[in-house]
Amino acid sequence: MGTVHARSLEPLPMQGPELGVQADDMDLGEPEHEEKQEVLENKDVVVQHVHIDGLGRTKEDLLTYEIADVFRAKNLIDVMKKSHEARQRLLRLGIFRHVEVVIDTAEGTDALPNGLDVTFEVKELRRMTGSYNTMVGNNEGSMVLGLKLPNVFGRAEKLTFQFSYGTKETSYGLSFFKPQPGHFERNFSVNLYKVTGQFPWSSLRETDRGVSTEFSFPIWRTNHTLKWEGVWRELGCLARTASFTVREESGHSLKSSLSHAMVIDTRNSTILPRRGALLKINQELAGYTGGDVSFLKEDFEIQLNKTLFWDSVLSTSLWGGMLLPLGDKPSCIADRFYLGGPTSVRGFSMYSIGPQSEGDYLGGEAYWAGGLHLYTPLPFRPGRGGFGDLFRTHFFLNAGNLCNLNYGEGPRAHLSKLAECIRWSYGAGIVLRLGNIARLELNYCIPMGVQSGDRICDGVQFGAGIRFL
Amino acid sequence: MSLAAEAFVSQIAAAEPWPENATLYQPLKEDQILLSDSASSLAVQTFLRMCGLPVQVSCRANAEYMSPSGKVPFIHVGNQVVSELGPIVQFTKAKGHSLSDGLDDVQRAEMKAYMELVNNMLLTAELYIQWCDDFTATEISRPRYSSPYSWPLNHILAYQKQWEIRRKMTAIGWSGKNLEQVYEDVSQCCQALSQRLGTQPYFFNKQPTELDALVFGHLFTILTTQLTSDELAEKVKSYTNLLSFCHRIEQTYFKEHDREGQSVSSRHSKSSLP
C-alpha cells in the first residue's frame, strides 16, 4: 500500500474574527490524483489520530472543540473536507499566523490498514505586536500607539490597547475579549475608553470617558449583543460663537445604559453586496442603572440587495429611530439623532438637516431615511478583472426626515409629522471599495425638498465611511 | 474668532439698547451655590441695579460650564454672553451706562486699586476657607458643589474642583497659610476698606460706583452665610461703618425693587443683617 499524500491547501491570508472570509475568494485545493484515485475515493477510512504541532501557550482543550469533527469522516474526500473546515475554524480564533494540514497513513503499533493521521501544523502569533503612527489632520497632529496581545492566557483571549496623544486632544482605549471555548460566536468583552470628538455642525465638543461590557451570542440565525455601558460625558462649546441653545447643554453628565442589538446578515459582503439582506434592531434603556440621563432609544436598519441583468445590483435601504426621554428632563444633544451628509441623505451637508438654532444643528428625537441604489460596473469596463473591479457607478435616490415629536399626541400625529417636509435627493456617482471595510464615493447630487435652515451641498460631494445609506 | 472680529462684533452689539429679557445665570441657589460664587453674583446684581438695568436671575446646575470663561456669574444680553464683574462693567459702559464717569483719573486709579484689593484678599480668602480648610470642604463645599450629580460623578467633580483650587492657592503662595492668618488678612482688608469709607455714604462720596457693588456683594454674603464657624462674619462685624454701609445699600437697592419676593439672602441663613 503506497503512502497517501494530500497536498496541503494554500494558506489563505490571515484574518481575525472581525473580518469574514469572502466566500467568492475561497479556493479549494485539488488533491493530487494518483492512478488508483477512484479506488481511494470510495475506500472507507478511519481517522485514528489528529495532531496539532507547534503549540506554545495555547491550551489544548480550546482546540479539541474545533478539530473534533475530523474524527467523524468516513472516506478520503470527507476527511479532506472536514480538515479544511477545521482549519477555517482554527484560523478564525485569531491566534495562529497560519495553519497547514497534512494527511498521512496511520503509523505506530495500533495502526489500522485504512487508518489515517491528520496533522495540523500551526504557527502561533507573537505574544505582543505593536504599532506606532503619527497622524496629521485638521490643525492637529497626533501620535498613535497601538498594542495587541492575542491569546493572552491561552484560550484565544485578546487584549488591545490604543493610545493617541495629540496637540489638542488625548484619547485611549483598552479592550479585553474572551470567547467561550468551543463556541467562538459566544463571547464577551470589556472596554475602557476615553474619546474626544469635535462636531463643527453643532459647534459642540464632546469628551466621553466610559466603561462597557458586552455579551454576544447567536440564537438560530440571528446574532444578539447585550451591553451595559457607563459613560461620563463632558460637553462644551467649540467656539465663542456657539448658539445659546448649545451653550446651555455644556457641562457634565453620567449615562448608564443597558442595550440590546439583534443582527441578521445574509449578505455576501459588507461593502457593495450583491445579494442578501441585513436587519439590525437596536434598543437602549438609560437611567435605570444609575446616572443622570434617562431615556429609551430604538433604531433599526434594513437593507435588501438583488443582482439584476448585466452584473448590476439593485439595493434598497431604510433606517429609522426614535428617542423617548423618560422623566421630566429634556433629551440631551449627545443622545439625539442626526441626518444628512455624504453617508446618509446625500446632497446635504454633514448632519445639517432638521432643528437648528443660529446655524448650529441640534439633532432630533425621531428620524427615518431611505435609499434606492442601482450599482453598475464602470461604463466600458476599464481594468476589468483587476483594479477596475473595485469601482462601481451608482445611481441613487435618497429621502429622509428628522424632527422632534410631541409625545402627548398619538401615533397618527407622529406619522403625519414625519411625513411632512420630506427632504430628498437624487444623483449619480462612482464608488470605490476599500478592502472589506470602507468605501469612498464621489457623487453629483441634486437635493430637493430643502427646508429653511438646512444646509445643502449640491453638485459634487465626496464621502468616505463605513456605513452608508 | 480673531481679536479684530471680536472687537467688531462688540462694537455692533454696543449700539443696541439694553433688552428687557437680559438674564443672569448662577448655580442653584438652595443647594449648590458656594460663598465665593454667591458673593460674585450678588456684586453683579447690585451693580446692574445701581445702573438701573433690569436683569432676571436664572439658576442652572451647569452655570459654571456654560460660562465662556468658566466663572460665574455671566449675563446673556441679546446675542452676547459676558462673564465676571470686570468685563460686565466694560460691556455696560459700551452701551452707555456707567457709574464711574464722574470720577477723575486719580480717583479712578484708586477705585481700581481697591477693587484689586477685594479680589486678591477677600475673594481668595473665601476660596481658601471653602476648599483648603478640610472641615469646611468636607461638611459644606464638596456636598454642595456636587449635589446635582449622581454617584460616582459627584465625587469626581468635587475632588477635581478641590484640587484645582488648591493648586491655584499654591501658585499664589497661600498654601503655606493657616486659617488664623487668613482671618487676619480678611481683617486687614476690612480695615483698609473701613478707613477709605470713613463716614461717607459711598466710597466716592455721594454716588455709588462698581467698587461699592463689589464690596457690598462680598461683605453682605459673608455676613448672611452660615459657615462651620462664625469667625469670618465676626471679623467684618467689628467695623461698624461697613455694617451700616451694607444696611444702606440693601435698603436702597433691594428692599424697594423687591417685586417678586426675590430675597437677597443665601443658603440656610438669616434673611436680614444682624
Side-chain angles (χ1 to χ4, degrees), chain A residues 31 111 123 135 138 143 204 215 292 439:
Chain A
K123 183 151 181 353
M135 295 198 310
N138 288 335
M143 172 189 102
L204 190 71
F215 287 91
D292 297 324
R439 79 189 213 197

Coordinates of all heavy atoms in Angstrom, one line a residue, chain A residues 31 111 123 135 138 143 204 215 292 439:
Chain A
P31 N -6.9 17.7 -4.7 CA -6.0 16.6 -4.3 C -5.2 16.1 -5.6 O -5.7 16.1 -6.7 CB -6.9 15.5 -3.7 CG -8.2 15.7 -4.3 CD -8.3 17.2 -4.7
A111 N -1.8 0.9 14.4 CA -2.3 1.5 13.1 C -3.2 0.4 12.4 O -2.8 -0.7 12.2 CB -1.1 1.9 12.2
K123 N 1.4 27.9 13.4 CA 2.3 28.8 13.9 C 1.6 29.9 14.7 O 0.7 30.6 14.1 CB 3.1 29.4 12.8 CG 4.2 30.3 13.2 CD 5.4 30.4 12.2 CE 6.5 31.2 12.5 NZ 6.5 32.1 13.6
M135 N -0.2 61.0 13.0 CA -1.3 61.5 12.1 C -1.3 63.0 12.1 O -1.1 63.6 13.2 CB -2.6 60.9 12.6 CG -2.8 59.5 12.5 SD -4.5 58.9 12.6 CE -5.1 59.8 14.0
N138 N -6.8 68.1 10.7 CA -7.3 69.5 10.8 C -6.6 70.3 11.9 O -7.0 70.2 13.0 CB -8.8 69.6 11.0 CG -9.5 69.1 9.8 OD1 -9.0 69.2 8.7 ND2 -10.7 68.6 10.0
M143 N 0.1 61.4 17.8 CA 0.9 60.2 17.8 C 0.0 59.1 18.3 O -0.6 59.2 19.3 CB 2.1 60.5 18.8 CG 2.9 59.3 19.1 SD 4.0 59.8 20.4 CE 3.3 59.0 21.8
L204 N -20.1 71.9 18.8 CA -20.0 71.1 20.1 C -18.8 70.3 20.2 O -18.3 69.8 19.2 CB -21.2 70.2 20.1 CG -21.6 69.5 21.4 CD1 -22.1 70.5 22.4 CD2 -22.6 68.4 21.1
F215 N -21.9 41.1 25.9 CA -22.0 39.7 25.6 C -22.6 39.5 24.3 O -23.7 40.1 24.0 CB -23.0 39.0 26.7 CG -22.4 38.9 28.0 CD1 -22.6 39.9 28.9 CD2 -21.7 37.8 28.4 CE1 -22.1 39.8 30.2 CE2 -21.2 37.7 29.6 CZ -21.4 38.7 30.6
D292 N -27.4 60.3 35.3 CA -28.3 61.4 35.2 C -29.3 61.4 34.1 O -30.3 62.1 34.2 CB -27.4 62.7 35.0 CG -26.4 62.9 36.1 OD1 -26.8 62.7 37.2 OD2 -25.3 63.4 35.8
R439 N -15.7 52.4 2.1 CA -15.8 52.8 0.7 C -15.8 54.3 0.5 O -16.1 55.0 1.4 CB -17.1 52.2 0.1 CG -18.4 52.9 0.4 CD -19.5 52.1 -0.1 NE -20.6 52.8 -0.5 CZ -21.9 52.4 -0.7 NH1 -22.1 51.1 -0.5 NH2 -22.8 53.2 -1.1

